[in-house]
Amino acid sequence: MARRPNILFVMVDQLAPQVLSAYGGKRVKTPHIDNLAAEGIVFQNAYCNFPLCAPARFSMLSGQLPSRIGAFDNAVEFPASVPTFQHYLRLAGYRTCLAGKMHFVGPDQLHGYEERITTDVYPANFLWTPDWRLGPEQWLEWYHSMRAVLDAGPHRKSVNIAYDDEVEFEAIRWLHEHADQGDGRPFALTVSFFSPHDPYLAPPAWLARSRSGGVDRPVVPDIPLEERDPHSRRHWFLTGRHLDPVNEADVLRMRLAYSAVTSYVDAKIGRILETLDQIGAAGNTLVVFTSDHGDSLGERGLFFKMSFFEWSVRVPLILHAPFALGPRRVYENVSHLDLFPTLLELTGNGELPELALPVDGHSLIPIATGPVTDWPDTVLAEYTAEGVTAPMVMVRKGRHKLITSSEDPPLLFDLELDPDETRNLAGDAGSAEVQADLEAVAAATWDMPALDRAVRQAQAARRVVGGALATGVHRPWDYQPMRDASRTYYREAGDVRDAYSGTIG
């Protein structure tokens, strides 16, 4: 790897790895993701560190657990002073650019990106601040709703599709512009699509293609409300199931539409990869593919995310760099926290720069290149948003997963013997040693009472600030892409000479 590689970081939203062929799925057609997996490093057991959009992304970019940077929910500010791996890449001489969603909250809408060529898709303010003072059966209008399931199906042009079409167009235009007018720096381009996030509104042609592949029923059927664990009971109200009943036909229609939108976004990924080839960058570009979190898709009667069950918290993670790393499947437990040191090591000739703040992840390079004996094999995750009234955390270590909270009895699963998480081992005599070990990891990681206080204080402060900012003149933080129209297409006499270089527009 004589030259420093370019980086293409492709992120999708709410994609459960279980549906992909690379992870054993049988129905969804994703040939471009499949090709990345066939030639790259596939991490079989990869996790987000918070099963909700904004905190998952903030944690991934910073390499720190969400609670360390105050990323408690979807309406909390990502502090501008927290270094991201984009800051370090930029300092190292990379041209950093973001096309698409990142759900930054607060006035800083760049966080290390030198350029941002689309707006975001969600509000940048404190509108979606949870309120733990409310009861567990409270439902607010900005929560998820079963309407997303009931309305799933063909739709000519949804907001999601319009947004992703723009992201694809602008990313391809930027890659050509970089090739034609770049300043010699390698690029680090993030392309972040909204699909297959709900609402599951599929372009009709893509839905027709998906019908031929059929659709699978949930592996674990709907669990009645009275038989659910406490968080899954709260989830019933959090997602509006008490307002709009759904049946199996609704779930199957939703899963088919999800398959169609997943295939649709795979085609967009394919066109981005084709552009790399067109500009001569494919041979020296590291491609990272992941999702911010998964989607329960009706498994055990749960929908969307906001849960520590596997369909919600696991993510696809593929590193594609045939010029440096051979194809391999890695079974050790990893998380988004590990991307920060991994990318800096790959772009720093095997060395990390001096970091201003410690990170919670570990470089994936050792396990991507061969077996290791000292990998921690432990993933930590948090949830402090809507649907709980006390922090809930997860520890996966080896084959076991613990979910614990001060308001709920613990859940413990052996994911090797029970991958569908149907048997809670917490309290079993035979699992006492494992449970104690994982509880010790949780106790060493989190001061739960202190975290509870911090979350409540953050909510209270944002209720005041958000209310004030919504009063009188409103000055939004939402990102406005800036483009100088006078420098596009044919404007000055010299422009005509550049018409064949790809630099116009």
Side-chain angles (χ1 to χ4, degrees):
M1 198 160 50
R3 293 180 298 158
R4 286 185 302 167
N6 303 305
I7 300 172
L8 174 64
F9 195 108
V10 180
M11 174 170 274
V12 293
D13 199 314
Q14 208 162 295
L15 177 60
Q18 291 90 337
V19 308
L20 298 175
S21 299
Y23 290 86
K26 305 296 184 185
R27 303 288 189 178
V28 184
K29 301 178 178 65
T30 53
H32 303 291
I33 298 172
D34 294 349
N35 188 60
L36 289 175
E39 298 178 352
I41 313 295
V42 178
F43 294 90
Q44 183 71 23
N45 296 303
Y47 291 83
C48 69
N49 301 98
F50 197 118
L52 194 65
C53 297
R57 293 162 185 267
F58 301 174
S59 179
M60 177 194 70
L61 286 168
S62 68
Q64 298 187 64
L65 281 169
S67 58
R68 298 201 203 281
I69 55 173
F72 299 135
D73 52 66
N74 260 350
V76 70
E77 182 179 3
F78 186 13
S81 60
V82 174
T84 68
F85 61 74
Q86 298 296 336
H87 286 110
Y88 286 100
L89 290 173
R90 190 170 170 181
L91 285 170
Y94 276 79
R95 183 183 178 190
T96 59
C97 180
L98 170 60
K101 175 184 175 181
M102 202 51 73
H103 202 164
F104 291 144
V105 177
D108 183 358
Q109 289 290 303
L110 293 173
H111 290 285
Y113 287 104
E114 182 178 350
E115 302 165 75
R116 187 169 187 181
I117 53 179
T118 68
T119 190
D120 216 311
V121 72
Y122 278 158
N125 58 21
F126 299 150
L127 178 66
W128 293 349
T129 300
D131 190 345
W132 282 5
R133 300 172 304 175
L134 304 176
E137 298 182 8
Q138 178 70 41
W139 183 85
L140 300 179
E141 62 180 359
W142 53 267
Y143 285 2
H144 280 72
S145 139
M146 285 297 102
R147 297 310 313 173
V149 176
L150 296 172
D151 295 341
H155 203 79
R156 179 177 55 81
K157 193 74 170 180
S158 68
V159 172
N160 300 33
I161 298 304
Y163 186 77
D164 284 345
D165 286 348
E166 179 184 358
V167 170
E168 176 197 357
F169 177 84
E170 294 295 346
I172 288 175
R173 172 157 65 175
W174 188 89
L175 284 169
H176 281 291
E177 183 272 332
H178 177 82
D180 294 331
Q181 294 182 320
D183 55 10
R185 290 181 292 168
F187 66 78
L189 172 64
T190 298
V191 183
S192 185
F193 294 107
F194 193 27
S195 300
H197 192 288
D198 60 287
Y200 313 103
L201 303 175
W206 285 102
L207 191 63
R209 296 180 197 183
S210 292
R211 283 199 181 97
S212 64
V215 61
D216 291 321
R217 290 175 171 80
V219 177
V220 181
D222 198 349
I223 297 175
L225 181 61
E226 62 276 8
E227 297 178 17
R228 294 180 170 213
D229 65 89
H231 180 65
S232 295
R233 285 199 295 271
R234 292 191 299 271
H235 210 279
W236 179 284
F237 299 97
L238 172 63
T239 55
R241 288 203 62 185
H242 61 301
L243 302 174
D244 295 297
V246 298
N247 58 37
E248 184 181 65
D250 298 322
V251 173
L252 293 179
R253 187 177 64 256
M254 175 267 290
R255 289 171 76 110
L256 182 63
Y258 183 87
S259 297
V261 178
T262 300
S263 295
Y264 152 86
V265 80
D266 175 79
K268 293 191 172 300
I269 294 169
R271 287 189 284 272
I272 301 291
L273 296 174
E274 181 182 8
T275 304
L276 290 182
D277 190 55
Q278 292 170 353
I279 66 173
N284 192 47
T285 298
L286 164 66
V287 180
V288 181
F289 173 75
T290 192
S291 177
D292 54 353
H293 48 72
D295 190 322
S296 295
L297 292 175
E299 292 290 334
R300 65 199 325 118
L302 300 178
F303 296 88
F304 318 119
K305 55 269 187 174
M306 305 169 291
S307 163
F308 284 135
F309 288 110
E310 290 286 278
W311 281 72
S312 169
V313 74
R314 263 184 68 199
V315 294
L317 180 58
I318 300 170
L319 300 184
H320 181 271
F323 53 87
L325 300 169
R328 181 177 176 81
R329 187 169 292 268
V330 176
Y331 291 91
E332 286 89 347
N333 298 317
V334 304
S335 81
H336 278 156
L337 293 174
D338 301 319
L339 287 173
F340 188 117
T342 302
L343 293 176
L344 296 191
E345 182 176 337
L346 280 171
T347 56
N349 295 320
E351 297 182 0
L352 289 177
E354 184 177 350
L355 300 180
L357 297 175
V359 295
D360 293 314
H362 301 81
S363 173
L364 296 169
I365 302 306
I367 57 173
T369 54
V372 296
T373 58
D374 58 349
W375 184 254
D377 208 25
T378 300
V379 167
L380 306 171
E382 308 171 350
Y383 190 78
T384 53
E386 58 270 17
V388 295
T389 56
M392 182 172 67
V393 300
M394 182 198 92
V395 177
R396 174 162 185 187
K397 184 177 181 182
R399 59 197 278 181
H400 292 96
K401 179 205 285 189
L402 173 73
I403 303 169
T404 184
S405 166
S406 64
E407 66 178 354
D408 300 331
L411 300 175
L412 178 66
F413 300 105
D414 182 336
L415 296 177
E416 185 174 305
L417 296 179
D418 179 27
D420 299 322
E421 302 167 290
T422 59
R423 184 187 173 201
N424 180 18
L425 301 177
D428 286 5
S431 302
E433 184 176 345
V434 169
Q435 184 173 344
D437 180 32
L438 271 61
E439 287 176 341
V441 173
T445 304
W446 295 283
D447 181 339
M448 298 292 271
L451 178 55
D452 187 287
R453 290 191 298 272
V455 173
R456 293 177 187 276
Q457 289 170 358
Q459 291 180 4
R462 283 178 285 152
R463 286 194 293 270
V464 173
V465 174
L469 294 180
T471 301
V473 177
H474 178 51
R475 302 193 186 279
W477 292 329
D478 304 292
Y479 186 71
Q480 174 63 57
M482 303 304 294
R483 181 173 295 115
D484 185 354
S486 71
R487 298 179 62 84
T488 60
Y489 305 109
Y490 297 106
R491 300 299 185 191
E492 304 295 336
D495 292 346
V496 176
R497 293 193 299 273
D498 296 328
Y500 301 103
S501 69
T503 62
I504 304 300

